[in-house]
């Protein structure tokens, strides 16, 4: 063990590690100079590399291969924050591990002596299993700042029972994020049930969601369990909740608030037990003002909004997503597909109005033309964004008016307002300033 500062003695570190060895989560003890003083058994199993010492080495060198602390390398440094606040700090980082780069949820807690001085830290590291920094055949993939921010928020809420509202453009991966919330939650062993709310009439939505009794309507020859019942003990994902008919919104609100429902044609009440995740690409707060969405339902489902970035906001992830989507599409017989540098440059420059869904479709078409296994620019057939110039000025004026009205009447934090409008807090601040509201 390396020399220890006087304020944190060897016997104190040893006593702390003896306690932490009973924890299943990897943990390390550090001093205020970023040096790793000790690690528990879980850390040694998951993060230590045989023949590569870590004691006495800087945490940022081991985790990031940096020569300077994280905050000097453009990332958030939990040690600096915990040192300043004398309280815990938590952040999602990409770390180098024996398995390659991985997302790691880092929580740092300061060790404070009798004179209220910070003398060291305990750092807890938990690998995020439902997202990948490397090309993958399934699940979430990404490592850009925008992606990591959304993933970090997901990590914070997953273990709770709070309803989650996923906001983002169509094709931005809302169902994958919803599934990740489920897989990172205590309900991961239960079912994950998807309800597509778009295009359903009141009656069809009610029978799909709640089920029905035999004879409830023409064609109901036997009792059918609804999706709420199917989701018992798991997660119910309401995709495109902004499309739920107004007539059904009150019944949905009753389900969420009371945890009870009735099958169509039944008189007895059933008990529901699920975790709710909802998603939409629509500005629900604007719909509330216009009367298209119930305000009480909006506040019930938006306890924890997460804004999912559009693909153009995470261009650094495009090469990783391309490789992943090519793997998921399956290789053609005798060929391993790759993308030429020129084609990749075009893919990165494109604005992707259809987001990841559009990227997948472009690659599926391109693979059919890549006879030699190389996707080139002429195979991409990228479509320009659809625009209606004649209507643009009127739309912009209406949008500005709507934004001002929403901002003035919104009851919630600035972060919640940004999430409900589907924009970042930085963009919201610029809009507020331009409207004279900041």
């Amino acid at each position: 063990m390396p020399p220890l500062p006087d304020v944190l003695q060897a016997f104190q570190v040893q006593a702390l590690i003896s306690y932490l060895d009973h924890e299943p989560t990897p943990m390390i003890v550090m001093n205020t100079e970023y040096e790793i003083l000790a690690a528990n058994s879980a850390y040694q199993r998951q993060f230590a590399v045989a023949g590569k010492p870590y004691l006495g080495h800087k945490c940022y060198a081991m985790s990031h291969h940096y020569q300077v602390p994280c905050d000097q390398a453009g990332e958030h440094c939990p040690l600096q924050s915990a040192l300043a606040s004398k309280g815990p700090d938590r952040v999602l980082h990409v770390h180098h591990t024996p398995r390659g780069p991985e997302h790691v949820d880092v929580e740092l807690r300061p060790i404070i002596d009798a004179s209220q001085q910070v003398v060291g830290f305990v750092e807890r590291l938990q690998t995020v299993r439902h997202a990948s920094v490397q090309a993958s055949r399934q699940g979430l993939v990404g490592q850009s700042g925008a992606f990591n921010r959304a993933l970090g928020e997901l990590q914070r809420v997953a273990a709770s029972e709070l309803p989650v509202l996923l906001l983002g453009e169509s094709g931005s991966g809302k169902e994958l994020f919803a599934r990740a919330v489920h897989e990172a939650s205590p309900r991961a062993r239960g079912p994950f049930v998807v309800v597509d709310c778009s295009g359903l009439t009141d009656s069809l939505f009610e029978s799909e969601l709640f089920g029905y009794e035999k004879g409830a309507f023409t064609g109901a020859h036997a009792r059918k369990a609804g999706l709420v019942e199917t989701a018992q003990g798991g997660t119910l994902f309401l995709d495109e909740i902004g499309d739920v008919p107004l007539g059904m919104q009150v019944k949905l609100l009753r389900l969420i608030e009371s945890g009870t429902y009735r099958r169509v044609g039944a008189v007895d009440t059933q008990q529901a037990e699920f975790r709710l995740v909802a998603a939409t690409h629509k500005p629900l707060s604007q719909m509330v003002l216009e009367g298209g969405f119930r305000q009480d339902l909006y506040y019930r489902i938006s306890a924890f909004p997460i804004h999912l970035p559009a693909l153009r906001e995470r261009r650094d992830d495009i090469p990783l997503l391309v490789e992943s989507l090519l793997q998921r599409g399956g290789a053609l017989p005798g060929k391993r597909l790759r993308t030429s540098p020129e084609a990749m440059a075009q893919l990165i420059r494109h604005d992707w109005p259809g987001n990841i869904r559009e990227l997948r479709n472009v690659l599926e078409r391109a693979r059919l033309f890549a006879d030699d296994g190389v996707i080139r620019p002429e195979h991409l057939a990228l479509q320009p964004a659809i625009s209606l110039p004649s209507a643009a000025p009127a739309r912009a004026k209406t949008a500005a008016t709507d934004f001002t009205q929403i901002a003035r009447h919104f009851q919630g934090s600035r972060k919640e307002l940004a999430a409900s409008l589907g924009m970042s807090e930085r963009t919201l601040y610029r809009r507020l300033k331009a409207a004279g509201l900041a």
Side-chain angles (χ1 to χ4, degrees):
M1 185 174 291
L4 300 170
D6 292 338
V7 289
L8 194 58
Q9 300 296 332
F11 75 90
Q12 296 173 311
V13 175
Q14 186 56 50
L16 187 54
I17 284 297
S18 296
Y19 173 77
L20 296 179
D21 261 340
H22 296 286
E23 293 290 327
T25 304
M27 295 185 177
I28 58 176
V29 180
M30 300 186 299
N31 62 21
T32 56
E33 299 300 317
Y34 305 90
E35 293 171 344
I36 300 174
L37 305 179
N40 69 352
S41 299
Y43 177 90
Q44 295 173 39
R45 287 193 303 269
Q46 294 188 38
F47 291 101
V49 178
K52 186 175 181 181
Y54 55 87
L55 295 181
H57 290 262
K58 305 287 189 181
C59 60
Y60 52 80
M62 300 302 299
S63 297
H64 299 283
H65 297 175
Y66 290 160
Q67 299 298 314
V68 294
C70 297
D71 56 324
Q72 296 179 36
E75 294 197 60
H76 175 78
C77 177
L79 187 148
Q80 284 296 324
S81 296
L83 189 62
S85 68
K86 296 184 180 180
D89 193 61
R90 184 175 172 184
V91 66
L92 185 91
H93 274 175
V94 174
H95 282 192
H96 291 276
T97 77
R99 298 162 297 279
E102 292 181 330
H103 293 105
V104 177
D105 190 352
V106 180
E107 183 178 13
L108 200 75
R109 292 184 177 273
I111 303 170
I112 301 176
D113 66 10
S115 61
Q116 296 302 302
Q117 297 300 309
V118 176
V119 295
F121 303 91
V122 173
E123 184 173 86
R124 164 190 163 277
L125 304 102
Q126 187 168 14
T127 302
V128 178
R129 302 295 182 189
H130 49 268
S132 178
V133 184
Q134 305 177 66
S136 173
R137 291 183 175 273
Q138 60 183 3
L140 293 170
V141 175
Q143 60 178 336
S144 65
F147 176 84
N148 285 348
R149 279 192 294 275
L151 186 62
E153 292 178 3
L154 184 157
Q155 280 294 111
R156 286 179 178 268
V157 75
S160 75
E161 285 292 307
L162 277 178
V164 176
L165 179 61
L166 302 173
L167 299 159
E169 296 179 7
S170 181
S172 56
K174 292 188 283 290
E175 184 171 338
L176 281 179
F177 266 88
R179 188 175 293 276
V181 171
H182 171 71
E183 292 175 352
S185 76
R187 296 177 176 268
R189 293 175 180 261
F192 174 76
V193 178
V194 180
V195 182
D196 186 357
C197 301
S198 56
L200 294 178
T201 61
D202 285 37
S203 58
L204 186 56
F205 185 86
E206 185 173 13
S207 62
E208 283 293 307
L209 197 63
F210 301 137
Y212 53 80
E213 295 289 341
K214 180 180 179 180
F217 50 82
T218 302
H221 302 300
R223 192 181 78 176
K224 179 186 175 183
L227 296 175
V228 170
E229 186 175 346
T230 305
Q232 195 79 355
T235 301
L236 185 70
F237 173 47
L238 300 179
D239 195 12
E240 295 304 343
I241 195 171
D243 292 337
V244 173
L246 265 176
M248 278 304 301
Q249 289 181 20
V250 64
K251 294 185 178 181
L252 185 56
L253 177 64
R254 187 181 302 120
L255 167 70
I256 297 169
E257 287 192 328
S258 69
T260 60
Y261 67 99
R262 283 201 299 264
R263 300 188 189 97
V264 177
V267 294
D268 56 324
T269 300
Q270 305 294 322
Q271 195 72 34
E273 205 280 304
F274 60 84
R275 200 267 183 82
L276 177 69
V277 179
T280 184
H281 72 282
K282 294 184 175 181
L284 293 186
S285 56
Q286 180 176 334
M287 292 176 65
V288 168
L289 291 175
E290 295 171 350
F293 200 85
R294 293 180 62 97
Q295 185 180 49
D296 45 9
L297 178 58
Y298 171 71
Y299 286 117
R300 287 297 298 176
I301 66 174
S302 60
F304 197 96
I306 301 178
H307 172 67
L308 306 186
L311 187 53
R312 63 183 171 276
E313 296 172 324
R314 46 180 297 208
R315 294 182 191 273
D316 291 348
D317 288 335
I318 289 178
L320 189 58
L321 288 165
V322 167
E323 187 177 351
S324 297
L325 290 170
L326 290 177
Q327 288 181 9
R328 296 174 192 190
L332 296 175
K335 285 196 301 186
R336 184 182 182 278
L337 285 171
R338 62 183 180 87
T339 308
S340 73
E342 296 79 12
M344 184 61 74
Q346 283 198 13
L347 292 171
I348 293 173
R349 286 197 304 268
H350 188 59
D351 274 344
W352 300 110
N355 294 294
I356 299 174
R357 184 181 294 120
E358 181 188 0
L359 174 61
R360 183 181 63 239
N361 292 341
V362 166
L363 294 175
E364 286 299 310
R365 178 189 185 277
R367 71 166 60 242
L368 300 178
F369 289 91
D371 295 330
D372 60 352
V374 180
I375 294 176
R376 295 185 171 82
E378 58 267 25
H379 302 149
L380 296 178
L382 298 175
Q383 300 295 321
I386 299 173
S387 60
L388 300 172
S390 59
R395 273 205 315 273
K397 184 176 180 180
T398 302
T401 303
D402 290 342
F403 173 82
T404 302
Q405 187 179 12
I406 292 168
R408 281 176 174 163
H409 294 89
F410 188 81
Q411 300 296 317
S413 67
R414 184 173 289 181
K415 181 178 181 180
E416 291 169 338
L417 175 58
S420 70
L421 293 171
M423 63 179 66
S424 68
E425 288 187 70
R426 183 178 298 178
T427 301
L428 173 64
Y429 178 76
R430 288 200 299 268
R431 293 284 299 275
L432 290 171
K433 190 173 182 181
L437 301 175

